[in-house]
Short mmCIF file of all heavy atoms in Angstrom, two decimals:
data_model
loop_
_atom_site.label_atom_id
_atom_site.label_comp_id
_atom_site.label_asym_id
_atom_site.label_seq_id
_atom_site.Cartn_x
_atom_site.Cartn_y
_atom_site.Cartn_z
N GLU Q 183 -14.99 2.81 -29.42
CA GLU Q 183 -16.45 2.91 -29.65
C GLU Q 183 -17.11 4.12 -28.90
O GLU Q 183 -17.95 4.75 -29.48
CB GLU Q 183 -17.08 1.59 -29.29
CG GLU Q 183 -18.39 1.26 -29.95
CD GLU Q 183 -19.51 1.61 -29.02
OE1 GLU Q 183 -19.30 1.73 -27.82
OE2 GLU Q 183 -20.65 1.76 -29.54
N ILE Q 184 -16.56 4.40 -27.73
CA ILE Q 184 -17.04 5.55 -27.01
C ILE Q 184 -16.79 6.83 -27.83
O ILE Q 184 -17.65 7.66 -28.09
CB ILE Q 184 -16.37 5.70 -25.58
CG1 ILE Q 184 -16.88 4.57 -24.71
CG2 ILE Q 184 -16.64 7.09 -25.00
CD1 ILE Q 184 -16.17 4.53 -23.35
N LEU Q 185 -15.52 6.93 -28.35
CA LEU Q 185 -15.17 8.14 -29.12
C LEU Q 185 -15.99 8.20 -30.40
O LEU Q 185 -16.38 9.28 -30.90
CB LEU Q 185 -13.65 8.15 -29.42
CG LEU Q 185 -12.78 8.36 -28.23
CD1 LEU Q 185 -11.27 8.30 -28.66
CD2 LEU Q 185 -12.97 9.77 -27.63
N LEU Q 186 -16.18 7.01 -31.11
CA LEU Q 186 -16.91 7.02 -32.35
C LEU Q 186 -18.33 7.56 -32.13
O LEU Q 186 -18.86 8.35 -32.84
CB LEU Q 186 -16.97 5.57 -32.88
CG LEU Q 186 -17.50 5.42 -34.27
CD1 LEU Q 186 -16.66 6.12 -35.33
CD2 LEU Q 186 -17.56 3.94 -34.66
N GLU Q 187 -18.98 7.04 -31.04
CA GLU Q 187 -20.33 7.54 -30.77
C GLU Q 187 -20.40 9.03 -30.48
O GLU Q 187 -21.24 9.73 -30.97
CB GLU Q 187 -20.90 6.74 -29.62
CG GLU Q 187 -22.37 6.90 -29.50
CD GLU Q 187 -23.13 5.75 -28.91
OE1 GLU Q 187 -22.77 4.60 -29.21
OE2 GLU Q 187 -24.05 5.98 -28.12
N LEU Q 188 -19.40 9.51 -29.67
CA LEU Q 188 -19.38 10.93 -29.40
C LEU Q 188 -19.12 11.74 -30.65
O LEU Q 188 -19.69 12.79 -30.89
CB LEU Q 188 -18.36 11.18 -28.32
CG LEU Q 188 -18.65 10.73 -26.87
CD1 LEU Q 188 -17.44 10.94 -25.99
CD2 LEU Q 188 -19.91 11.42 -26.36
N SER Q 189 -18.18 11.26 -31.47
CA SER Q 189 -17.82 11.93 -32.64
C SER Q 189 -18.94 12.06 -33.64
O SER Q 189 -19.10 13.00 -34.38
CB SER Q 189 -16.58 11.22 -33.28
OG SER Q 189 -16.30 11.81 -34.50
N ARG Q 190 -19.86 11.03 -33.64
CA ARG Q 190 -20.96 11.10 -34.56
C ARG Q 190 -22.25 11.73 -33.89
O ARG Q 190 -23.38 11.65 -34.37
CB ARG Q 190 -21.36 9.67 -34.96
CG ARG Q 190 -20.32 9.11 -35.86
CD ARG Q 190 -20.64 7.63 -36.25
NE ARG Q 190 -19.68 7.08 -37.22
CZ ARG Q 190 -19.69 5.80 -37.61
NH1 ARG Q 190 -20.54 4.94 -37.07
NH2 ARG Q 190 -18.75 5.45 -38.44
N GLY Q 191 -22.02 12.22 -32.66
CA GLY Q 191 -23.12 12.80 -31.93
C GLY Q 191 -23.31 14.32 -32.24
O GLY Q 191 -23.05 14.75 -33.33
N THR Q 192 -23.70 15.03 -31.17
CA THR Q 192 -23.90 16.49 -31.36
C THR Q 192 -22.56 17.17 -31.51
O THR Q 192 -21.51 16.58 -31.19
CB THR Q 192 -24.58 17.08 -30.11
OG1 THR Q 192 -23.69 16.85 -28.98
CG2 THR Q 192 -25.91 16.37 -29.82
N ALA Q 193 -22.56 18.40 -31.96
CA ALA Q 193 -21.32 19.24 -32.07
C ALA Q 193 -20.60 19.26 -30.73
O ALA Q 193 -19.34 19.20 -30.68
CB ALA Q 193 -21.68 20.55 -32.63
N GLN Q 195 -20.74 17.03 -28.29
CA GLN Q 195 -20.14 15.76 -27.98
C GLN Q 195 -18.84 15.54 -28.82
O GLN Q 195 -17.84 15.04 -28.30
CB GLN Q 195 -21.11 14.67 -28.29
CG GLN Q 195 -22.16 14.56 -27.20
CD GLN Q 195 -23.29 13.61 -27.59
OE1 GLN Q 195 -23.70 13.46 -28.72
NE2 GLN Q 195 -23.85 12.95 -26.54
N LYS Q 196 -18.85 15.94 -30.08
CA LYS Q 196 -17.71 15.75 -30.91
C LYS Q 196 -16.58 16.63 -30.37
O LYS Q 196 -15.39 16.17 -30.33
CB LYS Q 196 -18.00 16.16 -32.35
CG LYS Q 196 -16.86 15.94 -33.31
CD LYS Q 196 -17.19 15.94 -34.71
CE LYS Q 196 -15.94 15.64 -35.55
NZ LYS Q 196 -16.15 15.45 -36.96
N LYS Q 197 -16.86 17.80 -29.92
CA LYS Q 197 -15.85 18.68 -29.37
C LYS Q 197 -15.25 18.08 -28.11
O LYS Q 197 -14.01 18.15 -27.95
CB LYS Q 197 -16.52 20.04 -29.02
CG LYS Q 197 -15.53 21.20 -28.74
CD LYS Q 197 -16.23 22.52 -28.79
CE LYS Q 197 -15.38 23.61 -28.12
NZ LYS Q 197 -15.50 23.65 -26.69
N ALA Q 199 -14.96 14.91 -27.47
CA ALA Q 199 -14.12 13.81 -27.86
C ALA Q 199 -12.81 14.30 -28.41
O ALA Q 199 -11.69 13.82 -28.04
CB ALA Q 199 -14.81 12.99 -28.95
N GLN Q 200 -12.77 15.38 -29.26
CA GLN Q 200 -11.57 15.95 -29.74
C GLN Q 200 -10.67 16.47 -28.60
O GLN Q 200 -9.48 16.30 -28.61
CB GLN Q 200 -11.87 17.00 -30.76
CG GLN Q 200 -10.69 17.63 -31.43
CD GLN Q 200 -9.90 16.58 -32.28
OE1 GLN Q 200 -10.47 15.98 -33.21
NE2 GLN Q 200 -8.65 16.33 -31.94
N ALA Q 252 -7.77 7.31 -36.35
CA ALA Q 252 -8.34 8.64 -36.17
C ALA Q 252 -9.25 9.06 -37.30
O ALA Q 252 -10.23 9.73 -37.15
CB ALA Q 252 -7.19 9.64 -35.97
N VAL Q 254 -11.07 7.16 -39.20
CA VAL Q 254 -12.38 6.51 -39.01
C VAL Q 254 -13.13 7.21 -38.00
O VAL Q 254 -14.38 7.41 -38.17
CB VAL Q 254 -12.16 5.05 -38.65
CG1 VAL Q 254 -13.54 4.37 -38.49
CG2 VAL Q 254 -11.34 4.28 -39.75
N LEU Q 255 -12.49 7.68 -36.92
CA LEU Q 255 -13.22 8.36 -35.86
C LEU Q 255 -13.69 9.76 -36.25
O LEU Q 255 -14.57 10.34 -35.63
CB LEU Q 255 -12.29 8.54 -34.67
CG LEU Q 255 -12.04 7.31 -33.78
CD1 LEU Q 255 -10.98 7.62 -32.75
CD2 LEU Q 255 -13.30 6.79 -33.14
N GLY Q 256 -13.07 10.27 -37.36
CA GLY Q 256 -13.42 11.67 -37.71
C GLY Q 256 -12.77 12.67 -36.79
O GLY Q 256 -13.29 13.78 -36.67
N LEU Q 257 -11.70 12.31 -36.08
CA LEU Q 257 -11.02 13.16 -35.16
C LEU Q 257 -9.58 13.41 -35.72
O LEU Q 257 -9.10 12.65 -36.51
CB LEU Q 257 -10.99 12.61 -33.78
CG LEU Q 257 -12.36 12.30 -33.17
CD1 LEU Q 257 -12.14 11.55 -31.82
CD2 LEU Q 257 -13.11 13.58 -32.93
#
Side-chain angles (χ1 to χ4, degrees):
E183 203 262 341
I184 289 174
L185 290 177
L186 188 64
E187 191 153 321
L188 289 173
S189 172
R190 291 178 175 172
T192 63
Q195 285 172 326
K196 183 164 184 175
K197 190 164 166 280
Q200 184 63 60
V254 178
L255 285 173
L257 299 173

